[in-house]
């Protein structure tokens, strides 16, 4: 058993990152014969992509995927720790899993992902959720086959969570959810330690993958017919800083040159967004004009308390530069309200920045205390009622600008990668280059194609369009 430690998770050394290849253990390849797995994923794109790895690892062991919880022999929850409500969702769902486990005790149940890296969660699992069979963290996903094998042989709770800086493991198999667009990790972990955020503790230190490994993955995707890649990292702009080698602008340029039709990247921290990156984005048509640029707060006092290392003036300057240099760019953001000691005046400054930037859209959150982070020790003097009031006010403003931005698309012809069926009966769905969701009434032969679409109707969060041949 290995349990996490927040103190260990926080340590950063200059030790060289180990970079090695995953090797399949053929002895385990029949363990899942005639058995099914169910995986539920919470959290960000990184977790979504980790689940694609987990699925492939299970399929190497002959397990088959099911989307029906009741049919599964192995149930895994790939969790997120970013806010308290992410926790609550997982513990809520565990009620259903427990019920199934009581009826069918031979089911193997497991927790992985960022919550598994938290001390208090593991304590709770060891005390109150003894029926959960396996827990593994973000650093040992590739070990899942062995962990599963151990629990099958020993039938006692296996907790294998490492609070280490982390390695880079290449060649972990992947079962991608889409045939057209793919997630590609370019870096792992985070060293920014924003005072509210748990990610540097759950994901380890910033480790950039070698550029050649990334480019080979993208080239393989192009060969396999993929049209879009999204380069993933908590601070993609800082790519390469830990390698003393190529920068994000170099990587982006080389990815664009592979000829993949669409290149995206998330998330950009305003801190490391340099002019070379802006130049590359504007130079290549296949780098999409869409940037997610988290603001967090519009008050310099709060930004300082958050440890974000930029001022609102620097943020607005960067925002304006991006708008000026990248034609047609859409910019979205993340904002936290109710951070400890946030006064009405600080919040008003956040509203002012939103009014200045008129974001295409924003994810807005109420501050959530994460145990072990510096902000958890700050005096949280904003009442919940006030936080809710601020969130509502902010959302109204954000929605207003989202709608105004979308209105500009009415009657325009925009490129859309059609990627799936829409929730709307008889429609397909996809995203514009600027990441606007479009529902299109079209036959399924258009699936997996980038087509020109005329926008015929606008809503705050989506649009409707028709294909122009
Ligand atoms: N690496 C990205 C953010 C990843 S987390 C960046 O730095 O921009 C996604 C978003 O969750 C953050 O941008 C932030 O707005 C929000 N978030 C993170 N920790 C939070 C907390 N403790 N309470 C509320 N929101 C939080
Ligand atoms: Fe969290 Fe800040 Fe790192 Fe983003 S940059 S993951 S908000 S610590
Ligand atoms: Fe959540 Fe971990 Fe992502 S905390 S947001 S799943 S990195």
């Amino acid at each position: 058993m290995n349990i996490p430690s927040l103190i260990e998770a926080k340590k950063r050394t200059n030790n060289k990152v180990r970079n090695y290849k995953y090797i399949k253990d053929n002895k385990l390849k029949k363990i899942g014969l005639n058995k099914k797995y169910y995986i539920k994923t919470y959290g960000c794109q990184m977790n979504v992509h980790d689940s694609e790895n987990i699925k492939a690892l299970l399929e190497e062991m002959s397990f088959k995927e099911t989307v029906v919880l009741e049919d599964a022999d192995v149930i895994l929850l790939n969790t997120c720790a970013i806010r308290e409500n992410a926790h609550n969702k997982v513990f809520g769902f565990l009620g259903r899993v427990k019920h199934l486990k009581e009826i069918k005790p031979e089911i193997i149940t497991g927790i992985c992902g960022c919550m598994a890296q938290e001390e208090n969660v593991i304590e709770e699992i060891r005390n109150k959720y003894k029926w959960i069979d396996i827990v593994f963290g973000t650093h040992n996903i590739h070990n899942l086959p062995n962990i599963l094998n151990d629990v099958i042989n020993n039938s006692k709770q296996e907790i294998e969570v490492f609070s280490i800086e982390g390695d880079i493991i290449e060649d972990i198999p992947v079962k991608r959810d889409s045939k057209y667009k793919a997630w590609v990790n370019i870096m792992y972990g985070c060293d920014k330690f924003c005072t509210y955020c748990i990610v540097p503790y759950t994901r380890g230190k910033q480790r950039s993958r070698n550029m050649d490994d990334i480019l080979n993955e993208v080239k393989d995707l192009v060969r396999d017919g993929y049209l879009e890649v999204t380069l993933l990292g908590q601070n993609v702009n800082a790519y390469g800083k830990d390698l003393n080698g190529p920068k994000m602008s170099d990587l982006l340029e080389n990815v664009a040159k592979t000829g993949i039709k669409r290149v995206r990247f998330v998330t950009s921290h305003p801190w490391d967004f340099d002019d070379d990156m802006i130049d590359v984005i504007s130079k290549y048509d296949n780098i999409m004009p869409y940037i997610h640029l988290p603001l967090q707060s519009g008050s310099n006092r709060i930004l300082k308390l958050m440890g974000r290392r930029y001022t609102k003036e620097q943020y607005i300057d960067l925002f304006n530069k991006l708008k000026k240099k990248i034609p047609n760019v859409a910019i979205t953001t993340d904002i936290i309200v109710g951070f400890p000691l946030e006064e009405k005046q600080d919040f008003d400054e956040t509203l002012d920045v939103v009014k200045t930037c008129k974001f295409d859209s924003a994810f807005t959150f109420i501050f959530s205390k994460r145990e072990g982070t510096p902000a958890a020790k700050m005096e949280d003097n904003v009442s919940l009622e006030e936080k809710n009031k601020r969130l509502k006010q902010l959302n109204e403003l954000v929605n207003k600008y989202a709608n105004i931005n979308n209105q500009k698309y009415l009657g325009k012809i925009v490129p859309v990668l059609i990627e799936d069926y829409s929730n709307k009966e008889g429609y397909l769905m996809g995203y514009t280059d600027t990441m606007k969701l479009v529902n299109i009434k079209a036959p399924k032969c258009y699936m997996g194609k980038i087509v020109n679409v005329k926008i015929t109707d606008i809503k705050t969060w989506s649009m409707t369009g028709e294909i122009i041949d």
Side-chain angles (χ1 to χ4, degrees):
M1 185 168 70
N2 278 297
I3 59 171
S5 147
L6 285 169
I7 292 179
E8 287 300 315
K10 198 156 59 178
K11 280 191 190 153
R12 294 293 185 265
T13 68
N14 287 327
N15 294 347
K16 200 168 179 298
V17 173
R18 285 194 311 160
N19 192 320
Y20 58 93
K21 288 191 193 310
Y22 165 81
I23 296 169
K24 178 178 169 185
D25 184 347
N26 275 320
K27 287 199 298 299
L28 306 177
K29 72 175 181 204
K30 296 221 168 113
I31 288 188
L33 220 52
N34 304 320
K35 293 201 172 113
K36 293 186 184 140
Y37 70 89
Y38 172 96
I39 180 161
K40 190 166 174 68
T41 309
Y42 301 83
C44 65
Q45 293 95 336
M46 238 150 276
N47 251 20
V48 171
H49 189 39
D50 285 349
S51 284
E52 292 183 333
N53 288 133
I54 293 171
K55 289 178 189 183
L57 287 166
L58 289 167
E59 301 206 356
E60 273 192 358
M61 301 170 81
S62 304
F63 287 98
K64 293 260 178 315
E65 183 170 6
T66 174
V67 289
V68 183
L69 181 69
E70 289 72 16
D71 287 350
D73 302 283
V74 174
I75 299 174
L76 288 181
L77 307 191
N78 190 8
T79 63
C80 169
I82 204 84
R83 285 171 291 274
E84 193 57 40
N85 61 358
H87 273 221
N88 297 343
K89 277 189 209 157
V90 170
F91 283 117
F93 194 76
L94 278 177
R96 270 181 75 189
V97 180
K98 184 178 183 204
H99 180 66
L100 282 176
K101 180 87 177 165
E102 281 163 357
I103 306 169
K104 256 168 74 179
E106 67 278 12
I107 300 177
I108 295 175
T109 56
I111 301 271
C112 58
C114 287
M115 268 172 72
Q117 297 289 142
E118 295 186 291
E119 280 176 16
N120 53 346
V121 169
I122 295 302
E123 208 174 285
E124 196 164 346
I125 289 177
R126 290 177 68 196
N127 293 329
K128 295 201 212 138
Y129 295 83
K130 296 197 168 81
W131 53 270
I132 292 180
D133 300 294
I134 55 175
V135 182
F136 59 99
T138 56
H139 294 296
N140 56 341
I141 289 172
H142 60 291
N143 250 331
L144 173 61
N146 291 316
I147 300 171
L148 255 184
N149 188 39
D150 287 349
V151 83
I152 290 167
N153 293 327
N154 301 331
S155 64
K156 69 169 196 340
Q157 193 175 54
E158 293 276 340
I159 299 184
E160 289 297 327
V161 180
F162 300 96
S163 293
I164 51 175
E165 292 185 310
D167 309 316
I168 294 181
I169 303 148
E170 294 293 341
D171 294 352
I172 304 182
V174 55
K175 181 192 178 199
R176 298 193 188 270
D177 293 338
S178 165
K179 283 190 286 191
Y180 319 118
K181 52 181 219 173
W183 308 111
V184 173
N185 281 321
I186 62 167
M187 63 207 296
Y188 304 95
C190 178
D191 290 341
K192 294 274 193 283
F193 286 101
C194 302
T195 57
Y196 50 82
C197 183
I198 195 73
V199 172
Y201 307 77
T202 64
R203 294 267 168 182
K205 89 167 164 191
Q206 179 180 312
R207 289 108 63 206
S208 299
R209 281 178 77 195
N210 287 329
M211 185 153 79
D212 284 345
D213 291 329
I214 299 168
L215 292 176
N216 286 337
E217 182 172 345
V218 176
K219 284 176 197 159
D220 285 350
L221 287 164
V222 174
R223 208 195 45 221
D224 293 345
Y226 279 81
L227 300 170
E228 180 176 305
V229 291
T230 303
L231 309 178
L232 285 182
Q234 290 298 348
N235 298 291
V236 287
N237 321 17
Y239 170 79
K241 286 199 156 180
D242 50 307
L243 294 176
N244 287 324
K247 300 196 303 174
M248 181 59 177
S249 48
D250 303 316
L251 175 68
L252 256 185
E253 178 149 35
N254 282 317
V255 171
K257 281 182 180 163
T258 62
I260 186 104
K261 293 271 186 281
R262 288 180 154 199
V263 183
R264 298 187 187 279
F265 50 92
V266 278
T267 299
S268 292
H269 189 297
W271 188 5
D272 297 303
F273 218 121
D274 65 13
D275 287 351
D276 291 344
M277 233 184 112
I278 302 177
D279 289 344
V280 171
I281 298 168
S282 43
K283 183 168 157 199
Y284 288 89
D285 286 345
N286 58 345
I287 303 180
M288 296 295 100
Y290 165 73
I291 294 163
H292 186 62
L293 192 70
L295 166 69
Q296 311 302 2
S297 169
S299 150
N300 287 340
R301 195 175 69 87
I302 297 297
L303 283 171
K304 198 156 190 206
L305 287 173
M306 288 176 160
R308 289 292 285 182
R309 306 188 212 192
Y310 53 82
T311 60
K312 81 166 174 198
E313 290 79 13
Q314 286 167 325
Y315 183 94
I316 294 171
D317 280 353
L318 173 62
F319 182 95
N320 288 336
K321 195 151 56 167
L322 292 168
K323 282 276 176 189
K324 198 167 137 220
K325 293 209 170 164
I326 306 170
N328 190 33
V329 71
I331 302 180
T332 58
T333 198
D334 290 346
I335 298 170
I336 298 175
V337 301
F339 190 79
L341 305 173
E342 184 188 70
E343 303 281 343
K344 180 81 181 67
Q345 193 194 331
D346 299 304
F347 175 64
D348 285 342
E349 287 187 54
T350 299
L351 294 179
D352 283 343
V353 178
V354 174
K355 284 178 199 157
T356 304
C357 295
K358 305 180 177 63
F359 295 106
D360 282 85
S361 158
F363 295 103
T364 55
F365 311 103
I366 287 180
F367 167 73
S368 173
K369 210 179 211 180
R370 310 316 299 136
E371 203 175 296
T373 62
K377 293 193 205 84
M378 294 178 192
E379 188 194 350
D380 188 0
N381 59 344
V382 191
S383 72
L384 185 60
E385 191 193 350
E386 180 61 28
K387 286 177 186 171
N388 277 316
K389 212 173 103 195
R390 288 181 194 171
L391 185 69
K392 187 162 172 277
Q393 202 183 341
L394 175 63
N395 283 344
E396 277 165 12
L397 196 62
V398 162
N399 294 353
K400 180 179 125 184
Y401 290 118
N403 202 292
I404 292 174
N405 279 307
N406 281 0
Q407 290 298 339
K408 294 184 201 142
Y409 283 71
L410 198 60
K412 280 214 174 127
I413 295 170
V414 287
V416 175
L417 163 53
I418 303 195
E419 61 178 63
D420 211 339
Y421 293 102
S422 160
N423 293 333
K424 222 168 141 181
E425 185 76 34
Y427 283 74
L428 305 175
M429 57 77 65
Y431 289 90
T432 63
D433 50 351
T434 52
M435 206 66 180
K436 307 277 182 190
L437 172 63
V438 188
N439 291 309
I440 304 150
K441 195 157 196 170
K444 72 173 191 208
C445 59
Y446 283 103
M447 196 85 89
K449 298 209 161 53
I450 297 173
V451 289
N452 285 326
V453 172
K454 185 171 180 190
I455 301 300
T456 52
D457 190 25
I458 300 283
K459 301 204 173 58
T460 305
W461 304 121
S462 69
M463 304 176 179
T464 309
E466 54 196 40
I467 294 175
I468 307 291
D469 275 320

